[in-house]
Amino acid sequence: MSNAPDIVIIGSGMGGATLAAGLAPSGARIAILERGHRIPDSAPARDPWRIYTNSAFRSRETWLDEEERPFEPGNYYNVGGNSKLYGAVLIRYREADFDEMEHYDGVSPAWPFRYDEMAPWYDAAERLYEVRGDAQSDATEPPHGAPYPFPPVPDEPAVKGARERLENAGVRPFCLPLGVDIDRWLAAGNTGWDGYPDQRCGKMDAETCGLAAALAHDNVELITGARVTGLRIGSDNRRIGEVVYEKDGEEHTLRPGVVALCAGAVQSAALLLRSGIANSSDHVGRCFMNHNATAAIAIDPGFRNDAVYQKTFGINDWYLSDGNGGKPLGNVQLLGRVTPDILKIQVPQLPMIAARWISGHALDLYLISEDLPDPENRVVLKNGSVQLIWRRSNMAAHEKLLAKTKKALKAAGFPFVLSRLFDGRVPSHQCGTVRLGDDPATSVLDPECRSWDHPNLFVTDAGALPTSAAVNPALTVAALSLRAAETIKQELAQ
Ligand SMILES: Cc1cc2nc3c(=O)[nH]c(=O)nc-3n(C[C@H](O)[C@H](O)[C@H](O)COP(=O)(O)OP(=O)(O)OC[C@H]3O[C@@H](n4cnc5c(N)ncnc54)[C@H](O)[C@@H]3O)c2cc1C
């Protein structure tokens, strides 16, 4: 490969791979630098003990928390990034998420553009990621230019029964939009997909969709094991002139025309801070968001859960309002099935016999509430290490969401509901650290994801999101990347 490609993309996760897919047909010479490697076919990808206990796939790196205590974040560095282990819920932000929204603990600011601007890019992202869904099943579903490319993943019988019980209790479950070919996934192993790494057997993720589409063009090259360590300004003092990376212990330098940083919200901010660039606003690393999330297990001794994957419906009844004219609370969706092994791993003191009983009589849910952007929540560097300072916001909404959900589950015949707030040190839905906006004083990127300071630098990963909304972020990252690809193509054409 030439050391002066037209475009260097840093990271092959949801942002980087989708951007590459959008840019590849232009014929531009594109190098994708990815610090990780492909998850091998031989990896223990369906063994919960290897996944959840000795973290066979998780990075061993440590970050520091606010008190400077080291912790291992749940971050995955491999081809496809975090999307290789994700739950494949590919859901759009709702229309109202692009407008200013008042919450119990503050305001979620408006984006610099409205939903209509994003709608065609969401359509394109759903095509690329072959999303399965039903646009009629949720009252909060925003307008689509086309139906979902595939019909929804079917409920298993136990889940269908639970859905009917909730409907009878007055709740309106909807079909979760999912990027999974369920027949292919199950043919490779009888487990759910949520949290399980994909070995190219049915999960629609950054590697199997975005990257596969990009690499079908011979002008695109993926370099794995290539960790970018710095970006250097060129001789004009404005444009990024050099991308420096390490591979196999050696340092290499590329001199591209355009640089797209897609290393994930935390690592993109860290790289910009380390390089001392793009930060005239002093906003790089600020406004880190991560959702308030709770796992809930609803138990009914009379309910028999023999589902394998479970994760097929969600509830948005309290997304835009608490149902009584109050403020928004958030989204509820089924978790991947919490099997006896997973329950035992999460609660080691629980006897296995109890784990089996609970798992066999429970429905497992995941509750998400919006985290609000606060400049004091931030990624900083401490002696070269990442320090993550995150204080939860909007917990009043999250507590109300949990109370509403428990009430509905009890009305549906699940008398016991156990719940646990997700650990703040697992930044699965990290975003906001390199936010786009229309004011260079309070944002790092312009509305097209271009750095205000460096005209040939784009950031198209979750860091660019100015708000977290209360739904899973990956489809919005993908849509934003396809939109930015168009801007970059126009730039190259000039
Ligand atoms: C367990 C789990 C479940 C999830 N479930 C869902 C879900 O159901 N739906 C959903 O929408 N979202 C889900 N998410 C979140 C989703 O995966 C992320 O929002 C999405 O992957 C973010 O895309 P990204 O491009 O910002 O980062 P990533 O996809 O993480 O990609 C970043 C890439 O950059 C690489 N990289 C980092 N630093 C460097 C460097 N210095 N040099 C070179 N390469 C670098 C990384 O290795 C990685 O490949 C889940 C996340 C986790 C962890």
Side-chain angles (χ1 to χ4, degrees):
M1 187 194 61
S2 140
N3 71 354
D6 296 313
I7 305 167
V8 162
I9 297 178
I10 302 165
S12 67
M14 205 64 188
T18 312
L19 184 76
L23 289 169
S26 70
R29 290 164 306 137
I30 302 169
I32 306 171
L33 301 176
E34 166 55 53
R35 68 181 270 179
H37 296 275
R38 285 194 196 267
I39 292 178
D41 289 340
S42 57
R46 299 296 180 103
D47 178 350
W49 290 90
R50 296 296 307 283
I51 295 168
Y52 290 98
T53 55
N54 44 2
S55 292
F57 300 89
R58 210 156 129 168
S59 152
R60 289 272 173 272
E61 87 178 346
T62 53
W63 297 349
L64 302 173
D65 69 11
E66 187 170 5
E67 273 76 46
E68 299 187 21
R69 291 172 303 211
F71 68 96
E72 276 187 22
N75 232 26
Y76 300 94
Y77 302 118
N78 39 250
V79 172
N82 282 299
S83 77
K84 291 306 291 177
L85 286 103
Y86 77 163
V89 176
L90 289 169
I91 186 168
R92 300 178 182 214
Y93 275 27
R94 297 0 234 167
E95 265 183 297
D97 287 321
F98 291 85
D99 302 332
E100 185 175 288
M101 213 196 268
E102 223 181 287
H103 288 263
Y104 281 102
D105 290 348
V107 169
S108 173
W111 285 47
F113 45 83
R114 305 199 67 202
Y115 171 79
D116 303 359
E117 166 66 28
M118 281 287 276
W121 304 111
Y122 274 128
D123 292 341
E126 282 168 358
R127 279 196 301 277
L128 180 61
Y129 287 91
E130 301 178 20
V131 182
R132 279 85 173 139
D134 171 6
Q136 309 309 319
S137 68
D138 178 16
T140 71
E141 185 79 46
H144 284 227
Y148 279 107
F150 291 90
V153 177
D155 284 349
E156 293 158 291
V159 175
K160 188 164 179 284
R163 187 197 280 251
E164 284 163 5
R165 286 164 70 158
L166 282 159
E167 280 168 351
N168 291 337
V171 178
R172 287 159 298 165
F174 69 96
C175 299
L176 273 180
L178 292 165
V180 183
D181 176 339
I182 192 62
D183 296 331
R184 277 182 59 211
W185 179 266
L186 292 178
N190 209 36
T191 71
W193 62 82
D194 191 8
Y196 287 82
D198 168 54
Q199 288 164 312
R200 298 154 287 277
C201 46
K203 213 193 259 196
M204 308 301 160
D205 57 37
E207 182 197 21
T208 59
C209 292
L211 203 58
L215 292 176
H217 297 257
D218 57 14
N219 50 310
V220 182
E221 184 177 5
L222 171 69
I223 305 173
T224 57
R227 192 167 66 87
V228 175
T229 52
L231 303 178
R232 291 188 193 136
I233 308 289
S235 53
D236 68 349
N237 251 346
R238 272 208 89 203
R239 297 174 73 83
I240 306 300
E242 293 182 338
V243 176
V244 182
Y245 69 97
E246 281 174 8
K247 182 172 165 64
D248 301 328
E250 279 183 31
E251 189 173 287
H252 304 261
T253 302
L254 295 179
R255 294 177 185 82
V258 170
V259 177
L261 177 55
C262 314
V266 171
Q267 290 298 355
S268 284
L271 186 63
L272 293 177
L273 291 171
R274 215 164 265 138
S275 307
I277 60 165
N279 202 13
S280 60
S281 61
D282 185 31
H283 260 71
V284 171
R286 292 189 185 270
C287 295
F288 169 85
M289 294 170 280
N290 183 34
H291 282 156
N292 294 311
T294 288
I297 296 190
I299 303 166
D300 166 19
F303 174 65
R304 187 81 194 99
N305 192 350
D306 54 5
V308 173
Y309 50 89
Q310 179 176 261
K311 195 177 180 71
T312 45
F313 71 73
I315 300 167
N316 271 340
D317 293 29
W318 314 295
Y319 193 85
L320 298 174
S321 140
D322 66 357
N324 303 314
K327 300 195 166 75
L329 303 186
N331 162 274
V332 180
Q333 55 189 248
L334 292 178
L335 272 173
R337 178 78 197 287
V338 179
T339 61
D341 284 337
I342 295 175
L343 197 52
K344 175 80 185 152
I345 292 163
Q346 299 301 335
V347 191
Q349 63 275 28
L350 195 69
M352 195 58 186
I353 190 167
R356 273 199 204 98
W357 187 88
I358 293 173
S359 172
H361 297 280
L363 185 72
D364 317 302
L365 302 106
Y366 180 52
L367 285 63
I368 307 176
S369 301
E370 178 153 357
D371 188 14
L372 303 173
D374 173 356
E376 298 311 315
N377 282 339
R378 59 192 298 205
V379 174
V380 291
L381 296 178
K382 198 92 200 172
N383 303 324
S385 291
V386 168
Q387 184 182 17
L388 188 56
I389 300 170
W390 183 53
R391 293 178 202 151
R392 293 176 188 277
S393 68
N394 208 19
M395 277 304 283
H398 197 57
E399 280 153 18
K400 285 178 200 292
L401 180 66
L402 180 59
K404 285 271 181 197
T405 306
K406 282 186 173 173
K407 197 169 165 204
L409 286 164
K410 283 184 184 162
F414 293 89
F416 312 107
V417 182
L418 311 173
S419 63
R420 186 195 265 182
L421 189 63
F422 269 73
D423 191 330
R425 294 171 306 173
V426 180
S428 309
H429 289 182
Q430 57 184 274
C431 63
T433 50
V434 194
R435 66 204 310 249
L436 62 80
D438 49 16
D439 180 357
T442 55
S443 57
V444 181
L445 309 173
D446 74 9
E448 313 302 320
C449 296
R450 186 199 300 258
S451 157
W452 288 111
D453 299 344
H454 311 290
N456 67 337
L457 174 64
F458 291 77
V459 182
T460 71
D461 62 21
L465 304 180
T467 63
S468 71
V471 289
N472 323 56
L475 191 76
T476 301
V477 174
L480 210 51
S481 300
L482 291 174
R483 182 171 172 272
E486 210 47 45
T487 308
I488 296 173
K489 273 196 270 188
Q490 283 166 16
E491 168 109 2
L492 291 172
Q494 283 164 15

